[in-house]
Amino acid sequence: MNEEQLRNELQNKEKEIQRLKKLLDESAKLLTVPENDLQKQKEKSETLSKEDISRYSRQLILHDFGVKGQIAVKNTNVLIVGAGGLGCPAAIYLAAAGIGRLGVIDYDEVELSNLHRQILHTVDRVGLSKSVSVVHSCCRLNPSTEYVPYHLQLDSSNALRIIESYDIILDATDNVATRYLLNDACVLAGKPLVSGSALRFEGQLTVYHHDGGPCYRCLYPQPPPSEAVTNCSEGGVLGVVPGIIGSLQALEAIKIATGIGTSFSQKLLMFDALDGTFRTVKLRPRCKSCLVCGENPTISQLIDYEQFCGAKATDKDHKLHILERSQRISAKEYSEMVNNKKPHVLVDVRPAIELDICQLPHPMINIPFTSLSRNITEVKDQLLLKLKELSSDDFHNYTVPVVCVCRRGNDSQLAVQQLMKILADDKVKVIDIKGGLHSWSKHVDSNFPIY
Amino acid sequence: MPNLASFITNNSMLGGGAELLCGNVKKHNITLPKQDEKWLIKDLLIWIQKNIIKERPELFLQGNTVRPGILVLINDADWELMGELDYELEDNDRIIFISTLHGG
Ligand SMILES: [Zn+2]
């Protein structure tokens, strides 16, 4: 690095330090309620202040809602679990509506890739706790609500204690294990659970354990196999889709708080953004044999939900370790291969749609992992043709390797396994790039985009 | 009697690129082959598995029923309200298989 580059680097680092200091100040400045105070029964309001009346005037004049409804909202405490795509719109509407106390739980920090859907966070809060960030934004809209950010992972050891201080719980989480945990905790604590979810172009909404209706377990006594579960970081999600479902969760919480309208108890709302349809279907009633809310429940305290679901209680990707060390190369080693013009066949196993985002600087064949097993013959022909082109030796003695790559280095390992089977008779070396494109960006080319 | 039925899946049942159903088609209008007895949902499941599902059948059926996490709706009602596996299909029934979503 020359002097100028160093100076620039220093300047950037100083900016980052300033930003982090500001974040720290903001976190400290935030008014939070000591946990002991939460346990105390809050005094119920029976009237509205002059400011309340102006602020909420447009809903005070609503037939069926009125002052009575507003006071009910003011006396209701709502806990939102998950400060993400669902939690943000839910939180801001509940804050705006004048909910008494709003608790927000999230273990995670704000990342740039959250901002297209998690609309209460901001660019300058990247790295800040999501729960604190949501509370900041809500506080600016309506400082009269009491806010409690929880920067923690909800688990069996803390769920019941936290839930106790709230009247209505919103499930705005992103994983199966936490959904079962929240369900059981809400049944045991006797709280209604307003559950939302979203993925790709679709959303779902149900109210559990309310009005004599079923709980999540009544519907899904067994967790889904983990390979059938897709999260937003794998499957993608259009930002506005959780926005719509999260807003509906806020609406349901307000309706439950004020006792107006009908709830989505024993009903499932399915939203299909592409078709532009909302479909509401009738669900089964509470199940007598349900392990947690049935007649003879066997779950009387919270269990280990990660074990029960065979999946982690986060939507962070876990790294697979399938291949031997000899079947893998690092991104650095691969960059040397490219630089030294070492012949090889590069197979990018990502879905075709992702190729437009970024690609390695070497010609490649795209064989999406998901369609690999469907097209074995074509894949084999395609690869052998390419190998033959590049190998100087005669047929059936290919000297160049096949290198698989994907976004993060999981699918590429599975692809290596499959390709080795497909090419078993042809003595081809098949390897993958450890850590995929993420590693390439981290260790070889810092300008390479990460998604 | 002919059994005309349609069944619909949501995008998520089609899976993240690993399309469970042929050609990524969400809506299927089907005519079931004639048989002496009435078609039951459990027969339909097997028929779909044989005729429509192209790969990873274990992500649709486990044993004789749908895998955990798939909800079956018969004409917009939970199939449990309708007799579940033993429901007798009527003409023009609409069967929906939904995979529950977990993202947020
Ligand atoms: Zn139950």
Side-chain angles (χ1 to χ4, degrees), chain A residues 386-404:
Chain A
K386 198 82 200 155
L387 285 164
K388 213 155 93 181
E389 253 174 60
L390 294 170
S391 299
S392 43
D393 275 319
D394 53 330
F395 198 58
H396 279 293
N397 189 11
Y398 305 108
T399 49
V400 306
V402 171
V403 182
C404 294

Side-chain angles (χ1 to χ4, degrees), chain A residues 183 187 214-219 286-287 290-294:
Chain A
N183 178 70
V187 172
C215 80
Y216 189 66
R217 263 186 203 274
C218 293
L219 260 76
R286 194 163 69 91
C287 172
C290 176
L291 293 188
V292 69
C293 82

Side-chain angles (χ1 to χ4, degrees), chain A residues 21-39:
Chain A
K21 273 189 182 157
K22 207 176 129 216
L23 284 185
L24 201 63
D25 283 353
E26 282 195 23
S27 296
K29 242 188 344 209
L30 198 77
L31 266 178
T32 62
V33 187
E35 196 156 331
N36 290 344
D37 290 6
L38 288 180
Q39 310 298 338

Side-chain angles (χ1 to χ4, degrees), chain A residues 365-377:
Chain A
I365 309 177
N366 178 221
I367 305 174
F369 171 67
T370 45
S371 61
L372 192 52
S373 57
R374 219 178 316 158
N375 307 314
I376 291 177
T377 337

Side-chain angles (χ1 to χ4, degrees), chain A residues 237 318 324 357 415 428:
Chain A
V237 62
H318 15 263
E324 302 281 324
I357 302 175
V428 183

